[in-house]
Amino acid sequence: MDERLQRYVNELFAPEDSALTRIRLGHRERGLPDIHISPDEGKLLYVLLRLIGARRVLELGALGGYSGVWIARALPADGRLVTIEREPAHARAALAAFREAGIAAKVELLEGACLDVLPRLDPGFDAVFVDADKEPLPRYFEHAVRLVRPGGLVLCDNAFFHGAAVDETDRSAAAEGVRAYNRLAATDPRVVSIVVPVRDGVVLSVRVR
Ligand code: DHB
Ligand code: MG
C-alpha cells in the first residue's frame, strides 16, 4: 500500500496506546527480532475476534507479546489467550508486555517448541493465530484445524513471506513451508480461506467441517 495511505489507516483505525507503543519499540531494545505484526494487522485480528465473539484463542509464536496484547484485548474479561513461545528471552519479554498492558490475567504462556506443546492441547479454540517458524507450517496447519472449533478462525501471518511465496527460485525450507501452508489453506476441504493483503499477508481460514 502507498505509504501515505498506510499511515492514514494506522493513525485513524489502529492507534496504539502508550503500552502498545512501548512494547513494539521494546523489541529492538531487548534485542528481539523486529518481526512483530503491525498496528493495522493487530487491529485486523482484534476486529475478527470481536466479530466471532472469541473467548479462547491460541497463538503459535508469542515473540515479544505485541500481537498477544491485541488479541487479549479483543477477549472478554474471562477470556483466555494461550500462547506458545520457544525462546526463553522472548517468553520473558512477552510476559513483561502482558503485565505492562494489564492483560496478564487473560494469558497463559506455554514455554516450549510448538510441535512439543501442540499435541498436549485439547480442541475448542475459537481462533488460532499461527506466527511461528515457517518450515513446520504444514504441521501447524494440521494442529490448528484440529484445535479450532467448527466455525472458528485460523489466521496465519506471512502469507507473502516478503515475496518468497511467488519466488520459485527460493527453495529455502521456510519459503517451502509458507507455500505448502498456503496450498493447504486454499485447498483443504475442512476450511475456506483467503489472503488479506495487510503487511506481509494474513491467511484467513474458517473451519467449515
Ligand atoms: C519474519 C517475519 C515474520 O512476521 C515472521 O513471523 C517470521 C519471520 C521475517 O521477516 O523473516
Ligand atoms: Mg509473522
Side-chain angles (χ1 to χ4, degrees):
M1 206 195 304
D2 176 285
E3 215 171 282
R4 283 173 61 225
L5 289 173
Q6 183 67 70
R7 196 171 333 117
Y8 174 71
V9 169
N10 278 343
E11 287 176 4
L12 185 59
F13 287 94
E16 295 173 320
D17 64 358
S18 59
L20 275 171
T21 302
R22 273 199 304 274
I23 292 162
R24 180 169 49 76
L25 298 176
H27 281 72
R28 260 183 212 182
E29 291 151 26
R30 288 172 169 273
L32 268 56
D34 223 350
I35 56 172
H36 50 73
I37 65 168
S38 54
D40 57 332
E41 187 176 358
K43 186 63 180 289
L44 174 66
L45 300 179
Y46 181 93
V47 171
L48 290 169
L49 295 172
R50 292 292 298 259
L51 176 69
I52 64 163
R55 308 181 68 83
R56 289 191 67 210
V57 177
L58 173 66
E59 178 182 56
L60 279 58
L63 190 61
Y66 183 79
S67 52
V69 171
W70 278 103
I71 292 168
R73 284 180 172 176
L75 308 181
D78 62 347
R80 196 116 193 108
L81 166 65
V82 177
T83 185
I84 306 172
E85 179 52 54
R86 175 181 61 188
E87 296 293 332
H90 300 180
R92 278 194 300 277
L95 289 173
F98 301 147
R99 281 193 298 272
E100 167 151 29
I103 46 86
K106 289 189 201 176
V107 185
E108 181 181 2
L109 189 147
L110 303 177
E111 231 181 292
C114 288
L115 289 175
D116 293 331
V117 173
L118 287 166
R120 304 202 299 260
L121 300 181
D122 293 321
F125 289 95
D126 299 303
V128 180
F129 180 48
V130 181
D131 193 15
D133 50 333
K134 307 310 177 200
E135 180 174 356
L137 270 173
R139 297 169 76 185
Y140 295 161
F141 176 84
E142 198 55 43
H143 278 289
V145 173
R146 175 180 74 82
L147 291 168
V148 79
R149 65 164 168 85
L153 302 179
V154 179
L155 302 140
C156 183
D157 192 33
N158 308 102
F160 303 150
F161 207 42
H162 314 290
V166 291
D167 178 5
E168 296 291 337
T169 67
D170 186 342
R171 310 311 299 184
S172 68
E176 300 275 20
V178 169
R179 287 192 289 262
Y181 184 100
N182 290 344
R183 280 193 301 272
L184 285 167
T187 59
D188 189 303
R190 295 170 297 175
V191 296
V192 293
S193 307
I194 189 62
V195 170
V196 183
V198 164
R199 197 179 70 102
D200 197 24
V202 183
V203 189
L204 169 58
S205 304
V206 179
R207 182 176 166 190
V208 290
R209 61 168 84 150

